[in-house]
Amino acid sequence: MRPDRRLLVAGGTPGPEVIRAAVAAARPRAEAVATGPAVRLLEDGLQRRATRAIIHRIGPAGLTEIPDLPSASVLAPDLPLDHLHGELRREVDETLGLHPIGVVLDGETPVSFCYPTLVTERYWDITIETLEGYRRSGRAAAAFFRVEREMRLTGRQPVWGAAENNPASLALAAKLGFVPVAEVGWIE
């Protein structure tokens, strides 16, 4: 979504000259996602270590119904966002107007968010953020189901990527009915 964002994607065993060219073109900074031997090549080229991420899709049984979730809505442009921290605020601002953002409110204040960060013609990558003090209460699931309903109307399916060092995200993915289908290296 950001014009200054560079995302390198690599699989297999690209030649070192291909990696060097891609890294040079992505300067001053890029994020990367890679599989197989390409993970190490991009780590070397970007001089940063990858985090192992588990990619999930909706399992054969479909999404899990979760009773008694809080009410969620689509973020309206006039709701206050001054309470959000830097990265979340930037992503919400960039997404607002392009894609739906599922939110759960505390009064008039949005405290849990779900929105697509990467969108292709068939899939959307799930981003969920719930503010400290509001977690572990079903808000993230409610926000997800709200935006999933909107994105389903576009014909796109959700994809859940969770870093292996994020047990809360891995647990929520499983609870919602997602199953692991692949692993990638993610370099921020």
Side-chain angles (χ1 to χ4, degrees):
M1 285 183 251
R2 293 179 14 206
D4 64 330
R5 183 178 190 190
R6 305 290 187 262
L7 179 63
L8 303 177
V9 179
T13 314
E17 67 285 347
V18 172
I19 294 294
R20 278 193 298 276
V23 168
R27 296 271 181 227
R29 184 162 175 86
E31 297 173 52
V33 62
T35 60
V39 173
R40 179 73 176 160
L41 293 168
L42 279 173
E43 284 179 326
D44 292 345
L46 294 170
Q47 299 179 342
R48 296 193 308 270
R49 292 290 132 221
T51 299
R52 184 172 156 255
I54 313 303
I55 306 303
H56 301 74
R57 293 199 44 207
I58 297 172
L63 292 172
T64 303
E65 292 291 325
I66 300 175
D68 303 321
L69 289 176
S71 177
S73 59
V74 173
L75 179 64
D78 60 342
L79 283 175
L81 299 175
D82 295 338
H83 63 293
L84 301 182
H85 58 80
E87 181 71 14
L88 177 58
R89 176 63 187 260
R90 183 188 55 72
E91 285 188 352
V92 167
D93 284 345
E94 289 171 358
T95 304
L96 196 58
L98 293 175
H99 302 291
I101 300 173
V103 294
V104 175
L105 305 177
D106 179 21
E108 294 293 314
T109 305
V111 297
S112 189
F113 303 81
C114 179
Y115 50 91
T117 42
L118 300 172
V119 178
T120 70
E121 62 280 347
R122 293 182 59 200
Y123 301 103
W124 62 282
D125 180 54
I126 300 164
T127 295
I128 293 181
E129 181 74 34
T130 300
L131 301 181
E132 193 70 42
Y134 295 95
R135 296 178 180 152
R136 304 187 67 80
S137 60
R139 287 178 173 92
F144 163 75
F145 281 118
R146 185 62 184 97
V147 76
E148 188 276 333
R149 187 170 51 220
E150 295 293 318
M151 292 302 288
R152 190 176 340 124
L153 296 173
T154 71
R156 293 179 176 98
Q157 300 172 23
V159 175
W160 192 294
E164 68 180 340
N165 61 359
N166 188 343
S169 183
L170 293 167
L172 183 55
K175 181 178 181 177
L176 294 174
F178 286 82
V179 297
V181 295
E183 294 179 15
V184 299
W186 177 258
I187 303 171
E188 290 188 84

